[in-house]
């Protein structure tokens, strides 16, 4: 996840869209097929057309690496149980010992409650009939094996279906998969295919897709669509014969294959074989409740026909702005405001809708059809912002369980929307740190003691030395990305006021555009080694969506004049020494304030006497340090992804030279950097209150700042600091 926030560290303008000009966008995108009418598992490789490049590719690669490490650990544990498929083919299918009645019941329960709504092709009565036949029917046995294998590859089945197995569900699923493939060789399902054979091929596709074996997955998906065509499922006349229940089931199966193939074609740049040649399931005639949601899913994918896939695969070029704009309008209006569906269906439908809008936008920019001045918002460079906003709204209204059931495929859809948002903003990059800039803990131990007033035109938290003691100086805090209202920053201001006997100001320099406090939790989820990728998906989208406007609204061209104006007014209103204390986002501005020795209008005094900063972000090295003129103290950790040890060495070298040039190289210099072993970014203001090590690091940073203020208060009094 560090890679993702490294991308977020360079997000540009999100509102001033006039700056955007057309630029080539990577054609191959990280989209997710739909297996069983829902999101499929993440792809491991891209075939045909090259996949995502640069940091974006590294994000997904890193996610897959972590997931792969988990699977490797499962395999290690499973080997201790010696559990897997038998080496020889049993005389009776069930003698393998893998397909037990308990397992079938657990998988069917999971399917019925969680997946049936988006893949309504198997019902309890049919499953019971298959179980009764599997002792004598290889076809029935293979279908049940592939079905259970597919269910076992879905996330959360252990908890939601009560499955207890002596090994990981993935390993058990692979054993069933191997057994199904081996037994399927015992009969000819190709020359005389049946609906059950088609369903088996479909489940085999889902299994291999979930196992990241995409060539094999593609083979079985194409096998299922080919078998469907052999028995005439693409012909409406086929459904005029036979019992109603059987033809209804077959009709739903056709449309499920239709949706799956189109989603997979977008994912892997594959061609299509099935087309909308038969009627949709009838809401009036079909007895199942979820059919309405299923029809909505089909309608979402219907526009992605041979024409679109040909353009997507670059096999044709007859594309137009009007056609793409019409397609965006179709997608935006494809779903009603209130869905007559289950929450699980809604999660898939809403996420798929916004993902498909993103796909169309990417095709639009690839063909050079976007414009900053287009009256149609879908044909502008900023449209992914609107899509991301809509998806954030949707995911905030859904339960985590309704999203988790769709597997890691859902996170890839959300990541695609988030990464496209980042791509939109990449032409004008600004620097911001990694995920640690927005992670941390809210400090609630104690209440801030100060007051809020308007000072020099800005709302300002003001805290004074205790017991009415006269202040010896003024400290102005420039906060981190979470802004001036966090208790963390205000409590630290109180500590400075008490210990350094200073008047401390914490102004609103960000004009209301600080990051929401909830982002601490979201970034914590994203960067946690314990959280699954499924839980990280909504948090990832919220991070991208919230980080982008913050970066734009607080860019240097906006913020620097606000900060400079405040310090200019402050300098002319008090004779006391003035200090800047900046953290994370504010650290850069604290350092910039040390650059000039004379910046007031009268030209007689510097804006500040000295500055302190802890874990500053956004620095340009060595330039920002080489320009330093006023006394500067830096507190820095060794485990800071924003400013690594290579950067620390550069700062040490530059500050060392400056101390030598002022004749203070051997004693206490005007410039210092103190490095805390093991400290992460944010330790000075957002450390864990329950972690003694982190609180110790925060205390050392506080001690360093107080000592620095006291030193320059004393030297200013002696006429040395000016």
């Amino acid at each position: 996840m560090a890679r993702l926030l490294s991308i977020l560290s360079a997000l540009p303008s999100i509102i001033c869209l006039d700056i955007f000009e057309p630029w080539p966008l990577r054609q191959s995108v990280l989209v997710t097929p739909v297996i069983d009418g829902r999101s499929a598992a993440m792809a491991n490789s891209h075939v045909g057309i090259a996949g995502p490049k640069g940091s974006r590719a590294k994000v997904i690669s890193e996610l897959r690496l972590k997931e792969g490490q988990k699977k490797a650990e499962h395999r290690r544990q499973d080997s201790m149980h010696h559990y897997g498929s038998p080496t020889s083919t049993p005389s009776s299918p069930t003698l393998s010992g893998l397909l037990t009645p308990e397992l079938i019941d657990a998988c069917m329960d999971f399917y019925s409650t969680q997946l049936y709504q988006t893949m309504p092709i198997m019902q309890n009565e049919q499953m019971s009939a298959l179980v009764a036949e599997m002792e004598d029917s290889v076809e029935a046995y293979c279908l049940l094996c592939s079905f259970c294998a597919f269910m076992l590859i879905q996330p959360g089945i252990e908890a939601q279906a009560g499955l207890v197995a002596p090994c990981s569900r993935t390993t058990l699923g692979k054993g069933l998969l191997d057994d199904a493939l081996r037994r399927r060789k015992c009969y000819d399902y190709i020359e005389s295919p049946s609906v059950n054979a088609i369903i088996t091929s479909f489940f085999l596709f889902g299994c291999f897709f979930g196992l990241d074996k995409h060539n094999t997955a593609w083979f079985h998906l194409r096998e299922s669509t080919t078998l469907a065509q052999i028995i005439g499922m693409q012909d409406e006349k086929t459904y005029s014969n036979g019992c109603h229940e059987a033809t209804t089931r077959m009709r739903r199966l056709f449309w499920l294959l239709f949706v799956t193939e189109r989603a997979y074609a977008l994912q892997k740049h594959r061609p299509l074989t099935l087309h909308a040649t038969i009627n949709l399931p009838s809401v009036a005639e079909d007895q199942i409740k979820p059919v309405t949601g299923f029809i909505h899913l089909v309608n979402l994918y219907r526009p992605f026909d041979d024409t679109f896939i040909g353009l997507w695969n670059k096999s044709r070029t007859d594309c137009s702005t009007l056609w793409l704009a019409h397609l965006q309008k179709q997608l935006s209006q494809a779903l009603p405001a209130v869905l007559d569906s289950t929450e699980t269906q809604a999660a898939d439908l809403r996420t798929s809708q916004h993902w498909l809008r993103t796909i169309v936008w990417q095709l639009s920019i690839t063909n050079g059809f976007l414009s900053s001045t287009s009256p149609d918002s879908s044909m502008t460079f900023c449209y992914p912002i609107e899509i991301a906003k809509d998806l954030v709204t949707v995911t905030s209204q859904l339960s985590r369980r309704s999203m988790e059931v769709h597997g890691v495929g859902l996170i890839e859809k959300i990541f695609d929307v988030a990464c496209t948002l980042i791509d939109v903003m990449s032409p004008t990059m600004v620097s911001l740190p990694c995920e640690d800039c927005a992670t941390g803990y809210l400090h609630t131990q104690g209440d801030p003691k100060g007051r809020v007033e308007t000072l020099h035109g800005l709302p300002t938290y003001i805290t004074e030395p205790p017991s009415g003691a006269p202040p010896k100086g003024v400290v102005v805090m420039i906060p981190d990305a979470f802004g001036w209202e966090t208790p963390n920053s205000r409590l630290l201001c109180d500590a400075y006021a008490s210990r350094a006997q200073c008047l401390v100001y914490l102004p609103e320099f960000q004009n209301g555009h600080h990051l929401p406090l909830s982002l601490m939790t979201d970034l914590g989820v994203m960067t946690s080694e314990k959280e699954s990728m499924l839980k990280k998906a909504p948090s990832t989208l919220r991070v991208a969506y919230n980080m982008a406007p913050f970066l734009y609204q607080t860019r240097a061209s906006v913020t620097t004049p606000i900060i400079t104006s405040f310090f200019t007014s402050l300098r002319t209103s008090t004779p006391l020494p003035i200090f800047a204390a900046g953290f994370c986002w504010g650290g850069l501005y604290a350092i910039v304030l040390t650059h000039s020795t004379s910046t007031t209008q009268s030209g007689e005094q510097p804006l500040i006497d000295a500055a302190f900063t802890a874990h500053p972000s956004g620095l340009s090295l060595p330039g920002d340090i080489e320009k330093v003129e006023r006394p500067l103290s830096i507190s820095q950790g060794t485990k800071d992804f924003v400013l690594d040890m290579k950067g620390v060495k550069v700062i040490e070298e530059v500050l060392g030279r400056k101390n030598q040039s002022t004749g203070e190289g051997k004693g206490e210099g005007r410039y210092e950097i103190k490095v805390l072993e093991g400290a992460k970014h944010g330790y000075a203001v957002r450390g864990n209150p329950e972690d003694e090590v982190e609180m110790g690091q925060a205390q050392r940073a506080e001690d360093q700042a107080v000592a620095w203020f006291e030193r320059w208060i004393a030297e200013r009094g002696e006429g040395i600091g000016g």
Side-chain angles (χ1 to χ4, degrees), residues 348-641:
D348 184 36
L349 286 168
R350 296 296 188 190
T351 303
S352 296
Q353 178 188 29
H354 301 310
W355 167 64
L356 290 171
R357 291 168 67 195
T358 301
I359 296 299
V360 176
W361 182 87
Q362 289 175 352
L363 184 61
S364 300
I365 197 171
T366 299
N367 284 273
F369 293 148
L370 301 185
S371 169
S372 299
T373 59
S374 173
D376 187 340
S377 64
S378 69
M379 301 307 292
T380 65
F381 296 100
C382 68
Y383 195 55
I385 302 168
E386 182 178 330
I387 296 172
K389 179 181 179 180
D390 293 342
L391 188 52
V392 166
T393 302
V394 166
T395 55
S396 66
Q397 297 171 350
L398 296 169
S399 69
R400 191 169 70 183
R401 181 175 180 178
S402 70
M403 301 180 71
E404 286 180 353
V405 71
H406 294 292
V408 292
L410 189 69
I411 194 174
E412 194 164 317
K413 285 186 177 182
I414 293 176
F415 260 109
D416 197 46
V417 175
C419 289
T420 301
L421 174 64
I422 295 167
D423 278 337
V424 166
M425 298 179 293
S426 62
T428 54
M429 297 181 123
V430 298
S431 181
L432 196 82
C434 72
E435 71 269 18
D436 287 320
C437 271
T439 56
Y441 295 83
L442 198 62
H443 294 179
T444 57
Q445 63 279 23
D447 297 319
K449 300 177 181 179
R451 65 187 186 278
V452 174
E453 296 180 3
T454 299
L455 184 66
H456 303 304
L458 296 178
T460 304
Y461 176 77
I462 303 173
T463 184
E464 304 179 34
S467 304
K472 297 179 179 180
V474 179
V475 177
V476 180
M477 179 182 287
I478 310 176
D480 60 13
F482 290 100
W484 73 299
E485 293 182 304
T486 63
N488 302 35
S489 294
R490 294 188 174 188
L491 289 170
L492 186 55
C493 286
D494 292 346
Y496 288 164
S498 176
R499 297 186 60 193
Q501 200 171 324
C502 286
L503 187 62
V504 183
Y505 298 144
L506 175 55
E508 165 60 300
F509 287 130
Q510 296 161 337
N511 198 27
H513 297 293
H514 47 78
L515 295 179
L517 296 179
S518 61
L519 223 59
M520 287 190 189
T521 302
D522 285 325
L523 265 295
V525 171
M526 284 182 59
T527 58
S528 172
E529 295 293 332
K530 298 179 181 179
E531 297 290 358
S532 69
M533 288 164 53
L534 301 174
K535 295 180 181 178
K536 294 178 180 181
S539 293
T540 299
L541 182 64
R542 284 191 292 269
V543 167
Y545 183 70
N546 284 286
M547 192 74 78
F550 168 77
L551 291 172
Y552 173 67
Q553 298 290 354
T554 61
R555 64 195 186 278
S557 61
V558 173
T559 305
T560 300
I562 297 173
I563 294 175
T564 301
S565 176
F566 184 90
F567 276 90
T568 300
S569 298
L570 180 62
R571 175 56 85 189
T572 59
S573 66
T574 179
L576 295 172
I578 298 174
F579 308 100
F583 301 87
C584 305
W585 174 86
L588 170 64
Y589 296 101
I591 292 175
V592 170
L593 285 167
T594 69
H595 285 179
S596 177
T597 59
S598 180
T599 52
T600 59
Q601 291 181 349
S602 64
E604 297 175 354
Q605 285 184 304
L607 289 182
I608 64 171
D609 291 87
F612 167 80
T613 179
H615 37 77
S617 64
L619 296 182
S620 177
L621 297 177
D624 285 336
I625 303 302
E626 288 176 338
K627 297 176 185 177
V628 170
E629 297 288 344
R630 307 304 301 159
L632 173 65
S633 176
I634 301 174
S635 177
Q636 183 62 36
T638 60
K639 292 187 177 181
D640 191 330
F641 289 104

Side-chain angles (χ1 to χ4, degrees), residues 296-315:
H296 283 316
L297 186 66
V298 172
N299 286 331
L300 276 177
Y301 283 92
R302 279 186 88 158
F304 296 87
D305 54 14
D306 277 330
T307 299
F308 189 94
I309 297 302
L311 293 166
W312 186 248
N313 293 341
K314 298 184 177 180
S315 62

Side-chain angles (χ1 to χ4, degrees), residues 9 134 148 164 179 221 285 319 375 460 518 599 612 614 624 709:
S9 72
M134 72 177 187
C148 290
V164 178
D179 212 22
L221 178 58
E285 296 180 5
C319 190
T460 304
S518 61
T599 52
F612 167 80
D624 285 336
F709 302 149

Side-chain angles (χ1 to χ4, degrees), residues 277-303:
T277 54
I278 67 170
N279 297 329
L280 287 169
S282 171
V283 176
E285 296 180 5
D286 204 311
Q287 301 299 313
I288 65 167
K289 182 180 179 181
V291 72
T292 302
F294 182 67
I295 292 173
H296 283 316
L297 186 66
V298 172
N299 286 331
L300 276 177
Y301 283 92
R302 279 186 88 158

Side-chain angles (χ1 to χ4, degrees), residues 17 29 50 93 121 132 148 183 205 266 281 335 342 366-367 381 420 427 523 535 543 610 653 663 666 698 708 719:
L17 302 169
V29 294
I121 56 173
C148 290
R183 296 293 296 174
F205 157 75
L266 293 171
L335 300 179
T342 65
T366 299
N367 284 273
F381 296 100
T420 301
L523 265 295
K535 295 180 181 178
V543 167
E653 180 183 344
K666 296 183 179 180
W708 193 248

